[in-house]
Every structure is written in structure tokens, then in C-alpha cells.
Amino acid sequence: MTKQYFGTDGIRGRVGESPITAEFMLKLGWAAGKVFSEMGRGRILIGKDTRISGYMFESALEAGLSSAGVDVSLLGPMPTPAIAYLTRTFNAQAGIVISASHNPYYDNGIKFFCGQGRKLDDAVEYAIEAKLGKTMATVESDRIGKVSRINDAAGRYIEFCKSCFSSSHNLKGLKLVVDCAHGATYHIAPSVFRELGADVIEIGVSPNGLNINDNVGSTHPQGLQAKVLEVGADFGIGLDGDGDRLIMVDELGEIVDGDELLYIVASYLQQQGHLGGGVVGTLMSNLGLEQALLAQGIPFVRAAVGDRYVLAELERRGWQVGGESSGHLLCLNVTSTGDGIVAALQVVAAMVESGKSLRELKQKMTKLPQRMINVPCPATVLSAPAVLAGVKHIETRLQGRGRVLLRASGTEPLVRVMIEGEDLALVDGLAEELAGIVATAGAT
């Protein structure tokens, strides 16, 4: 079966264009409410990031849910992982996030969490889509859901984040910069690190509904790099608009990406005896990460691109740590979903425990040169004989010291051509060569 609306990370698109409209959100709230009410009476939490459209969609979802007889609790602007956490701690039936993560303000989306703070099973998403095809009808007046607001949600989540950092350590004497991308962590992240004792310089903390992710945050780290150098900070923390992704910047202003952060966290937990298995990356994870982990005796496997697939592989193997190069890290030893603040605290714990700087810790892993080229063409080109022959030829030239990856985009008519190896010039040349083969095959 193919889902009509739900993708790998909920429902997302441009505001005002189907399905990201107020009318659809009203119906979606009703459909979800009907599905969950059939499982038993409970309440559903709704949180959002700082996009101007979030208020509109919050109201529409609230109306739809209550018309289906479901009680609703509003959280206001909150990071995506906070909503997962609060869904668990309030014993709610589900949590709804209104966010398009790292996308610009004119996009928005909906993501659901089940009562355990994890993404919905496929069966539940199929059931919601089936209800969307039904005629909307309001329950009897005495059964309409009640709506309330949880006023201490931010404080609860701040305390949870702090609890993820050992009480035997603190951050006194450390100066750090936190970039909140004018997003959902603007009133959370600085407080977490400040209350743990750090000297915090904050940027990206003035949301106006339109500036989320606008040249700030984990996807635009230049401002964070500059501020770290300007104030002489020990390191910088860059979050995205909904707070589930993390990149960091060392004291020299150099970016520490998701692969390097994943290596630091896994190595730290291994040394503490708390890793509990291996590490899950994705097809895009740098080969240097795999090599560095294997050198320490840490198993490493790759899942398809997307935190949903990383999580599924972790659960299948009973492991705890995984993530993507983009900085979406999963630390299931402390929380149920990707959490930028919690992941940063795991990295900082490694720094404090070892007495080493972020730069020193990341230097234990050597990233291999990687080049990716997006080629506009249909996914069917992946099975073209010329492309298959080209891949085999390039793998031979890499002599086992690199990787070739061809992957169709899930959102655009593109094929992503990625080459990885030890020699940058060779990698660049091979990537251009293979991209040309793919483009030619796609044009025929």
C-alpha cells in the first residue's frame, strides 16, 4: 500500500498548497481524533515551532480533534523532541508537532508521536488516511473534547534535558555560543546550558514567525562560526528550527558535523561501558566514521537515509546510538527520538569527562573526501546498463578504498551521485565522470 499524505517524516509542504491548508488540517485533526478515540479515551498534545502558520494550523487541528471527542492540551512553541518527551510523561495518547524542521518559514508540516514518544506505526498512519476519506461529523455536544494549555511545558523539558547530564559534572568555566535558528529552542536551549553553569552567548533567539532557519542554525552555521571566534568561545552549538538536529563548532570555528559528533558520542559511551552494542549510520555516513568505529571494535551498520530508518535498525538490533551526517542523532539510552540539545549534552559530557576540547575529540576520526552531485533525471536510470557498468568501472578504480552510491531523491526528480575515497582529486574526477554517465542515460 502507498500512503497518500504521510511521508517518511510526517506530512510536509508549502503553506497554502494542498495538503498544507487550514481545511486539510481540520480534517486531519478529526481523522486522527477518530482513530485514537477508537483506541480508548485519552488526550493529545499539540506543540509547534515558531512559523507564523503554526497558529493557524494549531487552531485547525484543535477544532478537528475536539470535534472527534478528543481532549487536547496545547504546549505552544516547543522543540519536536520535547513534544515526544512530554507525550510520554503526561501519559497522552499521542503528540502532534506542527513544524517543517529545517525548511524555510513558508513550509510547514505535521508529525505524530505515539504515547511512547516514538513515531506512529504504519498501521496507524494508514488508519488515519482511511478516515480522511470519510465524511467529517462532530460528536454529540456532551462528548466534544476539552482543550487546555500546559503552562509549565518549557520548564519541565529544561529539567529533563539537565537530567541527561551527570550531576557530578557542571559546565562552569566554559564559554559557549548557542544558535537556536529563531526556532522552537529559543527559550529552552540557552537556559539548559546556562543552568548547568556555562557562560552562554545566544544567537538566533528572536523569532518573528518569518525568520526561522533564515541564515541561522545548523543548516546555516556561518554566523555561529563567526560568533565563536569573535567571543573566544570554547565551542558553539547549532540547532535547527525544531530542535532535533545538531551541528557544533570547535574553538577554531571549524564545523563538527553529525558523523563526527556520532563518533564522539559512541566512543565516549564505549569507554564508559554504556554503548550497549554498535552504531547505526546511513548510506550517506562518511566512510571515515565506519573506519574509526571499527578500529575501536564498535560494530557499524548503514540504514537508508532518514532518521525513521535509523531508528528502526536500532530497535531491530537492540542498539542505542545512531544518526545522520546532517546532525540528526539518536541517543536511545536517554530519550526516544532525535534531540539536538540532548545530543549536545552527550558530546559535552565526553569533553568534560576526558578533559579534552571538541577539536581534540573530533581529530580521532578522519573524514574521507566525499563529493555528491545531483543529476536531474528519473529514478529508472539507476537500472540502465550504462550506469551499472559505470558504477562497476569506478568501483574498480577505487580499489576497495572508497564507495560509490547512487540514490534517487524521495522528493525531487533527481539522482544523487556520491563518490567517496582517500584522494580528493580522484573523488572529484570520478564523481563528475559518473554524473555524466547518469545524465546521458537519463536523456535517452
Side-chain angles (χ1 to χ4, degrees):
M1 294 176 63
T2 301
K3 296 173 189 172
Q4 183 177 357
Y5 298 108
F6 285 93
T8 59
D9 198 29
I11 303 169
R12 188 180 298 183
R14 188 161 185 138
V15 174
E17 298 178 2
S18 180
I20 310 301
T21 65
E23 295 90 342
F24 177 83
M25 295 304 169
L26 176 66
K27 187 73 176 290
L28 177 64
W30 174 82
K34 295 298 289 184
V35 169
F36 285 110
S37 63
E38 290 170 0
M39 301 177 185
R41 184 83 184 194
R43 66 168 163 170
I44 293 179
L45 308 186
I46 301 179
K48 60 190 178 186
D49 64 22
T50 56
R51 290 161 217 272
I52 192 169
S53 59
Y55 295 90
M56 175 174 67
F57 294 141
E58 178 186 60
S59 298
L61 286 165
E62 172 193 333
L65 288 162
S66 59
S67 74
V70 174
D71 294 336
V72 178
S73 290
L74 304 177
L75 302 173
M78 290 293 291
T80 290
I83 296 162
Y85 166 73
L86 292 167
T87 299
R88 296 198 315 272
T89 60
F90 277 101
N91 293 308
Q93 271 195 314
I96 300 178
V97 183
I98 305 169
S99 175
S101 189
H102 56 283
N103 287 26
Y105 79 92
Y106 47 75
D107 290 336
N108 216 330
I110 302 295
K111 189 185 305 185
F112 287 85
F113 289 111
C114 68
Q116 292 73 47
R118 299 184 185 276
K119 294 182 179 181
L120 294 185
D121 291 337
D122 285 336
V124 180
E125 292 185 347
Y126 282 123
I128 293 173
E129 291 208 350
K131 290 290 185 187
L132 284 167
K134 307 292 185 181
T135 300
M136 182 175 171
T138 303
V139 298
E140 294 295 327
S141 294
D142 61 346
R143 293 176 52 217
I144 290 175
K146 298 178 180 178
V147 180
S148 60
R149 185 170 294 277
I150 299 175
N151 293 315
D152 63 344
R156 285 173 177 260
Y157 181 60
I158 288 170
E159 289 305 312
F160 163 70
C161 290
K162 288 162 57 181
S163 75
C164 298
F165 192 78
S166 173
S167 58
S168 62
H169 298 308
N170 61 63
L171 305 184
K172 290 180 179 177
L174 287 175
K175 179 189 287 189
L176 58 104
V177 180
V178 178
D179 182 350
C180 298
H182 298 307
T185 62
Y186 78 97
H187 58 320
I188 304 271
S191 294
V192 170
F193 293 99
R194 193 169 284 127
E195 291 179 23
L196 288 172
D199 177 9
V200 177
I201 294 90
E202 54 193 63
I203 60 177
V205 292
S206 302
N208 62 15
L210 307 177
N211 59 1
I212 187 170
N213 301 313
D214 187 8
N215 290 314
V216 286
S218 62
T219 53
H220 302 279
Q222 296 84 358
L224 176 61
Q225 293 173 282
K227 182 61 73 171
V228 165
L229 294 175
E230 176 191 332
V231 302
D234 294 290
F235 58 92
I237 293 170
L239 303 164
D240 69 340
D242 74 330
D244 63 357
R245 294 192 186 197
L246 166 75
I247 63 99
M248 295 180 72
V249 172
D250 67 22
E251 67 270 25
L252 296 186
E254 294 185 6
I255 293 172
V256 185
D257 69 9
D259 286 339
E260 293 166 315
L261 295 173
L262 184 56
Y263 169 75
I264 291 170
V265 171
S267 297
Y268 168 65
L269 291 176
Q270 173 87 330
Q271 291 161 11
Q272 299 294 308
H274 298 148
L275 181 57
V279 172
V280 177
T282 74
L283 295 173
M284 299 302 296
S285 297
N286 194 278
L287 185 58
L289 169 63
E290 180 176 358
Q291 293 173 341
L293 290 173
L294 293 177
Q296 292 195 39
I298 299 174
F300 178 80
V301 298
R302 297 177 186 271
V305 175
D307 66 292
R308 185 187 191 101
Y309 303 111
V310 174
L311 176 59
E313 189 65 25
L314 286 171
E315 292 178 334
R316 190 178 77 81
R317 294 175 178 269
W319 294 354
Q320 301 180 114
V321 178
E324 301 183 89
S325 307
S326 62
H328 199 137
L329 306 186
L330 290 159
C331 302
L332 302 185
N333 54 315
V334 285
T335 193
S336 64
T337 191
D339 189 318
I341 297 174
V342 169
L345 287 169
Q346 307 307 297
V347 175
V348 176
M351 295 170 58
V352 172
E353 187 76 29
S354 67
K356 295 181 178 179
S357 69
L358 180 60
R359 185 172 185 80
E360 290 174 312
L361 291 178
K362 80 165 186 175
Q363 287 178 332
K364 294 185 177 182
M365 170 190 151
T366 301
K367 290 174 62 178
L368 270 63
Q370 190 180 81
R371 174 82 184 280
M372 186 169 71
I373 300 174
N374 291 325
V375 182
C377 62
T380 52
V381 76
L382 295 177
S383 58
V387 172
L388 296 174
V391 169
K392 186 174 181 180
H393 171 68
I394 288 173
E395 286 177 336
T396 300
R397 292 178 64 182
L398 287 169
Q399 299 179 329
R401 295 193 294 272
R403 291 193 306 135
V404 179
L405 176 66
L406 295 184
R407 183 173 69 89
S409 168
T411 58
E412 302 172 89
L414 297 173
V415 168
R416 307 193 194 283
V417 176
M418 192 275 284
I419 307 288
E420 196 171 44
E422 297 175 351
D423 182 87
L424 176 59
L426 177 62
V427 165
D428 281 344
L430 293 178
E432 294 286 353
E433 180 180 334
L434 185 55
I437 294 171
V438 170
T440 300
T444 57

